Amino acid sequence: MKKVFKFGCFPIIILIVLIAIIGAIVGGDDSEPSSANADSKTEETNETDSEANDDEDSNETEQAEEEVEETVKMGEPLDVNEIIFTVSDITTADTIGNDFINETAKGEFLLVSVSVENSRTEKLSMSSNYFKLIAGGATYESDVSYSIYLEDDSIIYEDINPGLTLSGVVPFDVPPGLDLSDAVIQVQTGVFGTETGEIDIAQ
């Protein structure tokens, strides 16, 4: 009886062993594709990261190129976003105005003769913030109050319609005998200075 039981159980044991072996084989086959898929995903992630880095480098290069200001010399036109600036002359004076209404400089006035052409399709209103003098590492601004002493030569708060040009003087109160060997007039298209250019007035 015991022998019959042993021989009767033997096929069952073999069947269990075979099932275990088959399960191990199938499980091993499943793990290989899983590993391959993981490698594939890793490669795709690396490629995506590489492309993202390339795009960032490209954008940084483009931004650096956009930040480079265009510079022209005195007498040459400078187009800053369809507003064309030209500096034609530089003079100095102790006072501005006439015999009745005038202003005396704290140092001396540097009078910059400019013309501004509006090539846009809408009206442009001029502001003293459109112009800055940079010399010797210092930045000088024009006081809007000077415009009342310039009379017809003032361009501050003047409007320029499309296709027209406005000419006048922008005064800067600067130290007497200011060194202009590296001087530039920085111009911009808006009060916030989002787009600028420089006109070399070095003397």
Side-chain angles (χ1 to χ4, degrees), residues 110 127-129 131-133 140-147 150 156 169-173:
L110 188 72
S127 166
S128 60
N129 292 328
F131 304 91
K132 291 181 181 180
L133 167 66
Y140 302 90
E141 298 184 5
S142 180
D143 192 324
V144 66
S145 65
Y146 298 151
S147 61
L150 294 172
I156 306 305
V169 174
V170 179
F172 296 90
D173 196 347

PDB file of all heavy atoms in Angstrom, residues 110 127-129 131-133 140-147 150 156 169-173:
ATOM      1  N   LEU A 110      25.647 120.555 -22.270  1.00  0.00           N
ATOM      2  CA  LEU A 110      26.054 119.889 -23.502  1.00  0.00           C
ATOM      3  C   LEU A 110      24.802 119.788 -24.355  1.00  0.00           C
ATOM      4  O   LEU A 110      23.835 119.113 -23.985  1.00  0.00           O
ATOM      5  CB  LEU A 110      26.621 118.498 -23.198  1.00  0.00           C
ATOM      6  CG  LEU A 110      27.272 117.761 -24.365  1.00  0.00           C
ATOM      7  CD1 LEU A 110      28.612 118.422 -24.713  1.00  0.00           C
ATOM      8  CD2 LEU A 110      27.504 116.299 -24.028  1.00  0.00           C
ATOM      9  N   SER A 127      10.009 111.884 -25.233  1.00  0.00           N
ATOM     10  CA  SER A 127      10.251 112.076 -23.809  1.00  0.00           C
ATOM     11  C   SER A 127      11.745 112.261 -23.588  1.00  0.00           C
ATOM     12  O   SER A 127      12.567 111.756 -24.361  1.00  0.00           O
ATOM     13  CB  SER A 127       9.753 110.857 -23.014  1.00  0.00           C
ATOM     14  OG  SER A 127      10.256 110.857 -21.697  1.00  0.00           O
ATOM     15  N   SER A 128      12.101 112.951 -22.511  1.00  0.00           N
ATOM     16  CA  SER A 128      13.525 113.134 -22.212  1.00  0.00           C
ATOM     17  C   SER A 128      14.181 111.792 -21.880  1.00  0.00           C
ATOM     18  O   SER A 128      15.395 111.644 -21.988  1.00  0.00           O
ATOM     19  CB  SER A 128      13.690 114.102 -21.041  1.00  0.00           C
ATOM     20  OG  SER A 128      13.036 113.613 -19.879  1.00  0.00           O
ATOM     21  N   ASN A 129      13.366 110.812 -21.480  1.00  0.00           N
ATOM     22  CA  ASN A 129      13.906 109.491 -21.155  1.00  0.00           C
ATOM     23  C   ASN A 129      14.418 108.742 -22.379  1.00  0.00           C
ATOM     24  O   ASN A 129      15.048 107.693 -22.247  1.00  0.00           O
ATOM     25  CB  ASN A 129      12.841 108.639 -20.456  1.00  0.00           C
ATOM     26  CG  ASN A 129      12.501 109.162 -19.078  1.00  0.00           C
ATOM     27  OD1 ASN A 129      13.349 109.719 -18.392  1.00  0.00           O
ATOM     28  ND2 ASN A 129      11.254 109.001 -18.668  1.00  0.00           N
ATOM     29  N   PHE A 131      16.677 109.704 -24.266  1.00  0.00           N
ATOM     30  CA  PHE A 131      18.091 110.035 -24.500  1.00  0.00           C
ATOM     31  C   PHE A 131      18.884 110.007 -23.187  1.00  0.00           C
ATOM     32  O   PHE A 131      18.445 110.543 -22.176  1.00  0.00           O
ATOM     33  CB  PHE A 131      18.221 111.440 -25.114  1.00  0.00           C
ATOM     34  CG  PHE A 131      17.455 111.624 -26.381  1.00  0.00           C
ATOM     35  CD1 PHE A 131      16.150 112.102 -26.354  1.00  0.00           C
ATOM     36  CD2 PHE A 131      18.029 111.315 -27.612  1.00  0.00           C
ATOM     37  CE1 PHE A 131      15.426 112.278 -27.524  1.00  0.00           C
ATOM     38  CE2 PHE A 131      17.310 111.490 -28.790  1.00  0.00           C
ATOM     39  CZ  PHE A 131      16.007 111.966 -28.748  1.00  0.00           C
ATOM     40  N   LYS A 132      20.057 109.405 -23.237  1.00  0.00           N
ATOM     41  CA  LYS A 132      20.995 109.428 -22.116  1.00  0.00           C
ATOM     42  C   LYS A 132      22.398 109.648 -22.661  1.00  0.00           C
ATOM     43  O   LYS A 132      22.734 109.160 -23.745  1.00  0.00           O
ATOM     44  CB  LYS A 132      20.941 108.117 -21.335  1.00  0.00           C
ATOM     45  CG  LYS A 132      19.641 107.908 -20.573  1.00  0.00           C
ATOM     46  CD  LYS A 132      19.653 106.604 -19.798  1.00  0.00           C
ATOM     47  CE  LYS A 132      18.330 106.399 -19.063  1.00  0.00           C
ATOM     48  NZ  LYS A 132      18.308 105.128 -18.307  1.00  0.00           N
ATOM     49  N   LEU A 133      23.200 110.375 -21.904  1.00  0.00           N
ATOM     50  CA  LEU A 133      24.594 110.598 -22.244  1.00  0.00           C
ATOM     51  C   LEU A 133      25.449 109.718 -21.337  1.00  0.00           C
ATOM     52  O   LEU A 133      25.314 109.773 -20.114  1.00  0.00           O
ATOM     53  CB  LEU A 133      24.967 112.076 -22.058  1.00  0.00           C
ATOM     54  CG  LEU A 133      26.461 112.413 -22.088  1.00  0.00           C
ATOM     55  CD1 LEU A 133      27.056 112.164 -23.471  1.00  0.00           C
ATOM     56  CD2 LEU A 133      26.692 113.854 -21.640  1.00  0.00           C
ATOM     57  N   TYR A 140      24.378 110.432 -17.717  1.00  0.00           N
ATOM     58  CA  TYR A 140      23.745 111.746 -17.510  1.00  0.00           C
ATOM     59  C   TYR A 140      22.380 111.750 -18.195  1.00  0.00           C
ATOM     60  O   TYR A 140      22.233 111.247 -19.318  1.00  0.00           O
ATOM     61  CB  TYR A 140      24.624 112.858 -18.091  1.00  0.00           C
ATOM     62  CG  TYR A 140      26.020 112.897 -17.503  1.00  0.00           C
ATOM     63  CD1 TYR A 140      27.054 112.159 -18.078  1.00  0.00           C
ATOM     64  CD2 TYR A 140      26.312 113.678 -16.381  1.00  0.00           C
ATOM     65  CE1 TYR A 140      28.339 112.183 -17.545  1.00  0.00           C
ATOM     66  CE2 TYR A 140      27.589 113.712 -15.841  1.00  0.00           C
ATOM     67  CZ  TYR A 140      28.597 112.963 -16.434  1.00  0.00           C
ATOM     68  OH  TYR A 140      29.866 112.978 -15.898  1.00  0.00           O
ATOM     69  N   GLU A 141      21.398 112.334 -17.507  1.00  0.00           N
ATOM     70  CA  GLU A 141      20.050 112.416 -18.057  1.00  0.00           C
ATOM     71  C   GLU A 141      19.670 113.876 -18.293  1.00  0.00           C
ATOM     72  O   GLU A 141      20.195 114.781 -17.647  1.00  0.00           O
ATOM     73  CB  GLU A 141      19.048 111.746 -17.120  1.00  0.00           C
ATOM     74  CG  GLU A 141      19.328 110.252 -16.925  1.00  0.00           C
ATOM     75  CD  GLU A 141      18.263 109.578 -16.070  1.00  0.00           C
ATOM     76  OE1 GLU A 141      17.277 110.259 -15.715  1.00  0.00           O
ATOM     77  OE2 GLU A 141      18.424 108.388 -15.763  1.00  0.00           O
ATOM     78  N   SER A 142      18.752 114.072 -19.209  1.00  0.00           N
ATOM     79  CA  SER A 142      18.277 115.425 -19.515  1.00  0.00           C
ATOM     80  C   SER A 142      17.068 115.743 -18.652  1.00  0.00           C
ATOM     81  O   SER A 142      16.134 114.943 -18.544  1.00  0.00           O
ATOM     82  CB  SER A 142      17.901 115.531 -20.992  1.00  0.00           C
ATOM     83  OG  SER A 142      17.450 116.822 -21.299  1.00  0.00           O
ATOM     84  N   ASP A 143      17.106 116.909 -18.007  1.00  0.00           N
ATOM     85  CA  ASP A 143      15.995 117.338 -17.158  1.00  0.00           C
ATOM     86  C   ASP A 143      14.876 117.891 -18.042  1.00  0.00           C
ATOM     87  O   ASP A 143      15.102 118.765 -18.885  1.00  0.00           O
ATOM     88  CB  ASP A 143      16.484 118.420 -16.192  1.00  0.00           C
ATOM     89  CG  ASP A 143      15.466 118.706 -15.091  1.00  0.00           C
ATOM     90  OD1 ASP A 143      14.247 118.659 -15.374  1.00  0.00           O
ATOM     91  OD2 ASP A 143      15.898 118.971 -13.962  1.00  0.00           O
ATOM     92  N   VAL A 144      13.669 117.355 -17.831  1.00  0.00           N
ATOM     93  CA  VAL A 144      12.546 117.763 -18.662  1.00  0.00           C
ATOM     94  C   VAL A 144      12.248 119.257 -18.528  1.00  0.00           C
ATOM     95  O   VAL A 144      11.715 119.898 -19.451  1.00  0.00           O
ATOM     96  CB  VAL A 144      11.295 116.929 -18.309  1.00  0.00           C
ATOM     97  CG1 VAL A 144      10.818 117.241 -16.887  1.00  0.00           C
ATOM     98  CG2 VAL A 144      10.182 117.164 -19.305  1.00  0.00           C
ATOM     99  N   SER A 145      12.614 119.864 -17.396  1.00  0.00           N
ATOM    100  CA  SER A 145      12.335 121.291 -17.195  1.00  0.00           C
ATOM    101  C   SER A 145      13.133 122.172 -18.148  1.00  0.00           C
ATOM    102  O   SER A 145      12.765 123.334 -18.394  1.00  0.00           O
ATOM    103  CB  SER A 145      12.643 121.692 -15.746  1.00  0.00           C
ATOM    104  OG  SER A 145      14.028 121.569 -15.462  1.00  0.00           O
ATOM    105  N   TYR A 146      14.229 121.637 -18.712  1.00  0.00           N
ATOM    106  CA  TYR A 146      15.033 122.438 -19.637  1.00  0.00           C
ATOM    107  C   TYR A 146      14.275 122.742 -20.924  1.00  0.00           C
ATOM    108  O   TYR A 146      14.607 123.693 -21.640  1.00  0.00           O
ATOM    109  CB  TYR A 146      16.327 121.715 -19.991  1.00  0.00           C
ATOM    110  CG  TYR A 146      17.249 121.464 -18.805  1.00  0.00           C
ATOM    111  CD1 TYR A 146      18.107 120.370 -18.795  1.00  0.00           C
ATOM    112  CD2 TYR A 146      17.259 122.306 -17.706  1.00  0.00           C
ATOM    113  CE1 TYR A 146      18.962 120.130 -17.717  1.00  0.00           C
ATOM    114  CE2 TYR A 146      18.094 122.077 -16.628  1.00  0.00           C
ATOM    115  CZ  TYR A 146      18.946 120.983 -16.634  1.00  0.00           C
ATOM    116  OH  TYR A 146      19.787 120.740 -15.573  1.00  0.00           O
ATOM    117  N   SER A 147      13.267 121.951 -21.231  1.00  0.00           N
ATOM    118  CA  SER A 147      12.577 122.088 -22.517  1.00  0.00           C
ATOM    119  C   SER A 147      11.910 123.451 -22.676  1.00  0.00           C
ATOM    120  O   SER A 147      11.824 123.988 -23.783  1.00  0.00           O
ATOM    121  CB  SER A 147      11.535 120.975 -22.686  1.00  0.00           C
ATOM    122  OG  SER A 147      10.558 121.054 -21.668  1.00  0.00           O
ATOM    123  N   LEU A 150      14.244 125.997 -24.212  1.00  0.00           N
ATOM    124  CA  LEU A 150      14.735 125.768 -25.585  1.00  0.00           C
ATOM    125  C   LEU A 150      13.768 126.287 -26.634  1.00  0.00           C
ATOM    126  O   LEU A 150      14.110 126.352 -27.821  1.00  0.00           O
ATOM    127  CB  LEU A 150      14.989 124.274 -25.806  1.00  0.00           C
ATOM    128  CG  LEU A 150      16.130 123.678 -24.968  1.00  0.00           C
ATOM    129  CD1 LEU A 150      16.166 122.159 -25.128  1.00  0.00           C
ATOM    130  CD2 LEU A 150      17.469 124.269 -25.378  1.00  0.00           C
ATOM    131  N   ILE A 156      11.072 117.701 -26.516  1.00  0.00           N
ATOM    132  CA  ILE A 156      10.439 116.952 -25.438  1.00  0.00           C
ATOM    133  C   ILE A 156       8.937 117.227 -25.421  1.00  0.00           C
ATOM    134  O   ILE A 156       8.495 118.374 -25.518  1.00  0.00           O
ATOM    135  CB  ILE A 156      11.066 117.318 -24.073  1.00  0.00           C
ATOM    136  CG1 ILE A 156      12.586 117.135 -24.129  1.00  0.00           C
ATOM    137  CG2 ILE A 156      10.471 116.473 -22.965  1.00  0.00           C
ATOM    138  CD1 ILE A 156      13.045 115.764 -24.569  1.00  0.00           C
ATOM    139  N   VAL A 169      16.971 120.004 -30.020  1.00  0.00           N
ATOM    140  CA  VAL A 169      18.146 119.916 -29.144  1.00  0.00           C
ATOM    141  C   VAL A 169      17.769 119.215 -27.843  1.00  0.00           C
ATOM    142  O   VAL A 169      16.715 119.478 -27.265  1.00  0.00           O
ATOM    143  CB  VAL A 169      18.696 121.326 -28.833  1.00  0.00           C
ATOM    144  CG1 VAL A 169      19.826 121.246 -27.803  1.00  0.00           C
ATOM    145  CG2 VAL A 169      19.195 121.999 -30.107  1.00  0.00           C
ATOM    146  N   VAL A 170      18.664 118.334 -27.403  1.00  0.00           N
ATOM    147  CA  VAL A 170      18.518 117.692 -26.091  1.00  0.00           C
ATOM    148  C   VAL A 170      19.669 118.178 -25.210  1.00  0.00           C
ATOM    149  O   VAL A 170      20.834 117.924 -25.517  1.00  0.00           O
ATOM    150  CB  VAL A 170      18.556 116.154 -26.212  1.00  0.00           C
ATOM    151  CG1 VAL A 170      18.414 115.515 -24.830  1.00  0.00           C
ATOM    152  CG2 VAL A 170      17.448 115.662 -27.143  1.00  0.00           C
ATOM    153  N   PRO A 171      19.382 118.921 -24.119  1.00  0.00           N
ATOM    154  CA  PRO A 171      20.454 119.462 -23.269  1.00  0.00           C
ATOM    155  C   PRO A 171      20.782 118.545 -22.081  1.00  0.00           C
ATOM    156  O   PRO A 171      19.895 117.944 -21.478  1.00  0.00           O
ATOM    157  CB  PRO A 171      19.852 120.774 -22.774  1.00  0.00           C
ATOM    158  CG  PRO A 171      18.389 120.489 -22.699  1.00  0.00           C
ATOM    159  CD  PRO A 171      18.068 119.469 -23.749  1.00  0.00           C
ATOM    160  N   PHE A 172      22.063 118.470 -21.772  1.00  0.00           N
ATOM    161  CA  PHE A 172      22.519 117.729 -20.596  1.00  0.00           C
ATOM    162  C   PHE A 172      23.378 118.670 -19.749  1.00  0.00           C
ATOM    163  O   PHE A 172      24.281 119.318 -20.273  1.00  0.00           O
ATOM    164  CB  PHE A 172      23.356 116.509 -21.001  1.00  0.00           C
ATOM    165  CG  PHE A 172      22.605 115.472 -21.783  1.00  0.00           C
ATOM    166  CD1 PHE A 172      22.563 115.529 -23.175  1.00  0.00           C
ATOM    167  CD2 PHE A 172      21.939 114.438 -21.139  1.00  0.00           C
ATOM    168  CE1 PHE A 172      21.881 114.577 -23.904  1.00  0.00           C
ATOM    169  CE2 PHE A 172      21.250 113.479 -21.863  1.00  0.00           C
ATOM    170  CZ  PHE A 172      21.218 113.539 -23.251  1.00  0.00           C
ATOM    171  N   ASP A 173      23.109 118.745 -18.461  1.00  0.00           N
ATOM    172  CA  ASP A 173      23.922 119.544 -17.537  1.00  0.00           C
ATOM    173  C   ASP A 173      25.060 118.646 -17.048  1.00  0.00           C
ATOM    174  O   ASP A 173      24.835 117.669 -16.318  1.00  0.00           O
ATOM    175  CB  ASP A 173      23.059 120.014 -16.367  1.00  0.00           C
ATOM    176  CG  ASP A 173      23.722 121.142 -15.589  1.00  0.00           C
ATOM    177  OD1 ASP A 173      24.935 121.389 -15.793  1.00  0.00           O
ATOM    178  OD2 ASP A 173      23.024 121.769 -14.764  1.00  0.00           O
TER     179      ASP A 173
END
